[in-house]
Amino acid sequence: MLEIYNSLTRLKETFKPLHEGHVGMYVCGPTVYGDAHLGHARPAITFDLLYRYLMHLGYKVRYVRNITDVGHLEHDADEGEDKIAKKARLEQLEPMEVVQYYTNRYHRDMAALNVLPPSIEPHASGHIIEQIAFVQKILDKGYAYVSNGSVYMDVEKYAKDYPYGKLSGRNLNDIVAETRELDGQNEKKHSYDFALWKKAAPEHIMHWPSPWSEGFPGWHMECSTMGTKYLGEQFDIHGGGLDLIFPHHEAEIAQSCAALGHESVHYWMHNNMITIAGKKMGKSYNNFITLEQFFSGQHELLSKPFGPMVIRFFILQAHYRSTVDFSSEALEAAEKGLQRMQEAYARLQKLQAGKETTVEIAGLRQRCQEAMDDDLNTPFVIAALFDSAKAINTVWDGKGTISEADLKELREVWKTYAIDILGLRLEAEEGTNTNAKAFAGAIDLLLGIRLQAKQNKDWATSDKIRNELTALGFQIKDTKDGFEWSI
């Protein structure tokens, strides 16, 4: 078990899976009581990237991403009203109706972002029996206590035997100073003790029978339980957002050590936050923009709609451990970068091989691989691909040549790193539905008429078509083979 918790720096050199050839990975998924926003997209894309790269390296990966559908409370991990139950009460729905509705929408958004589905996607509410058994193990080991029907972790007793706070770097004095006084704290021995099981108040509509009370599991319990159920008592990687380090992941470590006598996770990985004007984006701050709003452009902070691949490219442009500050201008810049990449990829597929290579493309595969091995350094991968795009454009413009072997290698590297690993769809997103195909076909038809007019020296018609399309926002480029266009 690692004593130092860090990212997978120098991935191929330092990453040693517990079972050779196999990787167990658990990632904290969404609490499904509202639409996914940009803050949800970052961990989903970050760990999708890791999932893709581990499979590229030849590992067989079991990827577990949970759905939190009970126990995540309004004010604190231990107090307040369950978020899903509150949504159900306000909208006069069954809680599982809320869960299913937003889970379906989350899946839709993840598919749009080209995030691969996990191997297993367990729900907290589907593992109540297992969570009760896990709580009982902690009680049997003497690291928890029952109070008024609820069960709490005895953090002070646990800390005498295990180093509580090793992931977050906090000690109990720090935690005491930062712990707020909340309703129900008088049930606890100490303010920093956290709930393993909560007795349900009479108005609470999500509850199950247990040896201690009719209630529900604490928020932290689901991940300890489902992680070990599907990946074993020890597994390789546990991931999530940086904001989960404390208290959520710290509590998970304590629960696993208390119940099993050892830690479960070999490597912890955390992506950093997306911010707006320097403040974390999230529902609790009421400053979030849903993915649906990004796709439609229906938000006051957005200058226009942005496609799913623009969002993915925007996130991958930054290292996963760095903060990304959102602005509509930053998304517009990402959109232009993605368009450059899409244009280069389209040209790459149409290039004709020559007798020799006169452009600089050597070492591209190695640069991309070294960047990915260096803690998933996607900005360096993108930079390497952009450098090779210059060579592609040089050949396309007839100012250079590329051999058959080098052309094949270049196409393979782009497919491997841009499409398979970065997960970018480099075909224009407009071509993904019938209406968009019809739209693209109409533009091609119009530009075909313009091309025929040019050949007939009908300059008035040719110029009229070009000028009016340009005024509508189209970019048109004449080529030796005909024309290219973009919006």
Side-chain angles (χ1 to χ4, degrees), residues 70 101 123 134 152 194 244 265 267 269 300 312 431 453 461:
V70 66
Y101 177 79
H123 288 230
F134 208 100
Y152 293 98
F194 57 87
L244 295 179
V265 179
Y267 296 89
M269 290 185 68
E300 61 184 8
R312 187 174 182 109
T461 300

Side-chain angles (χ1 to χ4, degrees), residues 73-79 174-183 185 188 190-192:
L73 306 183
E74 274 293 319
H75 307 301
D76 178 81
D78 296 339
E79 304 298 336
D174 295 333
I175 296 167
V176 169
E178 295 171 9
T179 302
R180 295 176 295 139
E181 287 298 327
L182 298 167
D183 293 340
Q185 291 280 19
K188 305 179 183 182
H190 305 287
S191 60
Y192 44 72

Side-chain angles (χ1 to χ4, degrees), residues 129-141:
I129 294 173
E130 293 92 335
Q131 292 183 75
I132 290 172
F134 208 100
V135 173
Q136 188 61 57
K137 285 182 181 180
I138 298 175
L139 280 166
D140 292 344
K141 296 291 181 67

